[in-house]
Amino acid sequence: MHTIGMPERHVPDIVVARLPLYLRALSALQLEGHAFISSKALGERLGIGPAQIRKDLSLFGDFGRQGKGYEVSVLLARLREILNIAHEWLMVLVGAGHLGSAVANYSGFAQRGFRLVAVFDNDPQRIGARIGEHVVRPASEMEQFVRAHSIRLAMIAVPASAAQAVADVLVHAGVRGILNYAPVTLNVPPGVRVENIDPVLHLQHMTYYLGEDGDEAIVSS
Amino acid sequence: MHTIGMPERHVPDIVVARLPLYLRALSALQLEGHAFISSKALGERLGIGPAQIRKDLSLFGDFGRQGKGYEVSVLLARLREILNIAHEWLMVLVGAGHLGSAVANYSGFAQRGFRLVAVFDNDPQRIGARIGEHVVRPASEMEQFVRAHSIRLAMIAVPASAAQAVADVLVHAGVRGILNYAPVTLNVPPGVRVENIDPVLHLQHMTYYLGEDGDEAIVSS
């Protein structure tokens, strides 16, 4: 049993979703040399109300100091603990096409604690090719690799028609979190998390508010 | 004043966010030859409860047919109208590095009604280079281009340190929706929408639930 880093009470998922945003902003503030930050200043950076920030963070403890705000380094360390990213995570990527290649080359993962350790594809034309620092491995080796290295996180960047089958193999091998770039909803058993990245869904979310020709933005949401 | 496609009552943003998911699933169902779909079957595909789906859609009208469920083509057409994507949107992309190149090459935008019409960068090494069907244009021409073509949507794939300045120029020129790939929160005036794509935020959201070593998934959220 772990106790450090485990939530002590039920935290709404919408609050959990904001914690990485706080972490990202606090990391930037630390780089800029700030030792303390008020909930007001943090809120202005994030477009989130200061009361909401105080409420969110109070679920995990008492971090603020009267009159000085939050101590950036302390809050950063605690957020990393809460999000279970105090240590590095290993990931695999499935799919080495245009999108997969871009994902494999993205330096932000390693900088922020997520290390891509293998790239898989089932296309003979791609197997053996270099992508960044990786040599593309045959998809047939994926299950064994995931098991052997106790991989818990995977990214899927294959065509929509292939994504569910890939997810099934990954989950069977022990993966518990999938970042899904394929434009399809994956079905996974309880205990497995999926987060989706489909830019078109975001664009359509925005055009709802923009009106037919983009000239009639509805301000409130 | 437009009336078609404008919401008739206040719709919570969390419902708006689900509409593109419904659209995506219904498009797939149509391709598979389904003429009707029940809220139960649609819900199973999406991992969303059927009652939630019925409630969401009832905000926009009465689409279900007793015993037959939703007529796929009718619901698709109505969703496209509601999301203001019955016509094609034009977009620009700022940033022609690794990530920007992948974004520019992504075929899913055009297939789903969003046409990339120009790519900008301020790096002399990149200006003039070809990315897919685009020749990278100098960032200095961005404002004029956006105005001349009444562009309302833009994608930003520049380093975090440059993203806010790019957003300011775009908004000043008339952009009302920004898909932001830079790992930083953008400040924009009321009436401008920003959606963010930062894969690390999604990974951190998942690791919260996975426990310290990924072996203790918390099933509920």
Side-chain angles (χ1 to χ4, degrees):
Chain A
M1 280 296 293
H2 300 286
T3 50
I4 294 169
M6 297 291 282
E8 288 166 18
R9 64 188 97 176
H10 179 72
V11 177
D13 187 58
I14 195 160
V15 176
V16 177
R18 281 194 288 265
L19 300 179
L21 275 173
Y22 298 157
L23 181 76
R24 192 175 74 174
L26 288 160
S27 300
L29 284 161
Q30 191 174 51
L31 280 176
E32 292 165 22
H34 296 271
F36 288 87
I37 182 89
S38 67
S39 54
K40 183 164 177 288
L42 185 58
E44 278 166 8
R45 225 170 227 258
L46 290 170
I48 298 174
Q52 183 69 64
I53 291 176
R54 288 194 299 270
K55 191 177 162 200
D56 287 355
L57 295 177
S58 72
L59 289 170
F60 301 96
D62 185 16
F63 301 109
R65 277 207 212 158
Q66 200 67 38
K68 296 194 79 174
Y70 298 108
E71 188 166 356
V72 173
S73 63
V74 171
L75 189 49
L76 268 175
R78 184 72 179 107
L79 280 171
R80 288 203 181 96
E81 210 176 67
I82 292 165
L83 292 169
N84 295 307
I85 51 169
H87 72 87
E88 188 180 60
W89 287 82
L90 307 185
M91 299 189 295
V92 298
L93 165 68
V94 190
H98 271 307
L99 182 59
S101 300
V103 170
N105 277 306
Y106 180 56
S107 59
F109 292 125
Q111 285 163 11
R112 293 157 78 187
F114 295 89
R115 187 149 63 91
L116 181 64
V117 292
V119 180
F120 298 92
D121 203 298
N122 68 356
D123 182 344
Q125 301 274 327
R126 291 181 187 150
I127 293 166
R130 282 202 86 80
I131 296 188
E133 59 190 62
H134 301 280
V135 174
V136 179
R137 298 164 189 256
S140 56
E141 295 176 7
M142 180 169 77
E143 182 166 354
Q144 167 60 17
F145 185 97
V146 167
R147 278 190 206 285
H149 296 83
S150 301
I151 305 288
R152 295 289 174 261
L153 289 177
M155 300 187 285
I156 295 182
V158 302
S161 57
Q164 183 64 54
V166 168
D168 292 344
V169 173
L170 291 169
V171 169
H172 185 65
V175 163
R176 290 294 168 265
I178 295 174
L179 189 60
N180 176 37
Y181 284 88
V184 63
T185 300
L186 299 176
N187 292 307
V188 294
V192 178
R193 311 284 311 182
V194 177
E195 294 267 322
N196 296 288
I197 295 194
D198 179 347
V200 174
L201 296 186
H202 291 282
L203 290 169
Q204 292 171 342
H205 188 168
M206 292 195 285
T207 55
Y208 173 87
Y209 293 103
L210 297 188
E212 260 189 280
D213 50 13
D215 288 334
E216 286 193 63
I218 300 165
V219 174
S220 72
S221 62
Chain B
M1 280 296 292
H2 300 284
T3 51
I4 295 169
M6 298 291 283
E8 285 165 19
R9 62 189 99 177
H10 179 74
V11 177
D13 188 59
I14 195 160
V15 176
V16 176
R18 282 194 288 266
L19 300 180
L21 276 172
Y22 297 158
L23 182 75
R24 192 174 73 175
L26 288 160
S27 300
L29 285 161
Q30 192 175 50
L31 280 176
E32 293 165 21
H34 296 271
F36 288 87
I37 182 89
S38 67
S39 55
K40 182 163 178 288
L42 185 58
E44 277 167 8
R45 226 169 227 256
L46 291 170
I48 298 174
Q52 183 70 63
I53 290 176
R54 290 194 297 270
K55 192 177 162 202
D56 287 355
L57 295 178
S58 72
L59 289 170
F60 300 96
D62 185 16
F63 300 110
R65 278 208 213 158
Q66 200 67 36
K68 297 196 77 173
Y70 298 108
E71 188 166 356
V72 173
S73 62
V74 171
L75 189 49
L76 268 175
R78 184 72 180 109
L79 281 170
R80 289 204 180 96
E81 209 176 64
I82 291 165
L83 292 168
N84 296 307
I85 52 167
H87 72 88
E88 190 181 59
W89 287 82
L90 308 185
M91 301 188 297
V92 298
L93 165 67
V94 190
H98 271 308
L99 181 59
S101 299
V103 170
N105 279 306
Y106 179 56
S107 58
F109 292 124
Q111 283 163 12
R112 292 157 78 189
F114 294 89
R115 187 150 63 90
L116 182 64
V117 291
V119 180
F120 297 92
D121 204 298
N122 68 356
D123 181 343
Q125 302 274 326
R126 290 183 188 148
I127 293 165
R130 283 203 84 81
I131 297 187
E133 59 189 62
H134 299 280
V135 174
V136 179
R137 298 164 190 256
S140 56
E141 295 176 7
M142 180 169 77
E143 182 166 354
Q144 167 60 18
F145 185 96
V146 168
R147 278 190 205 285
H149 297 84
S150 300
I151 305 289
R152 296 290 173 261
L153 289 176
M155 301 188 286
I156 295 182
V158 302
S161 57
Q164 183 64 53
V166 167
D168 291 345
V169 172
L170 290 169
V171 169
H172 186 64
V175 163
R176 291 295 168 264
I178 295 174
L179 189 59
N180 177 37
Y181 285 87
V184 64
T185 300
L186 299 177
N187 291 307
V188 294
V192 178
R193 312 283 310 182
V194 178
E195 293 267 323
N196 296 287
I197 295 193
D198 179 347
V200 174
L201 297 186
H202 291 282
L203 290 169
Q204 292 171 342
H205 188 168
M206 292 195 288
T207 55
Y208 173 87
Y209 293 103
L210 297 188
E212 259 189 282
D213 51 13
D215 287 335
E216 285 193 63
I218 302 165
V219 174
S220 72
S221 60

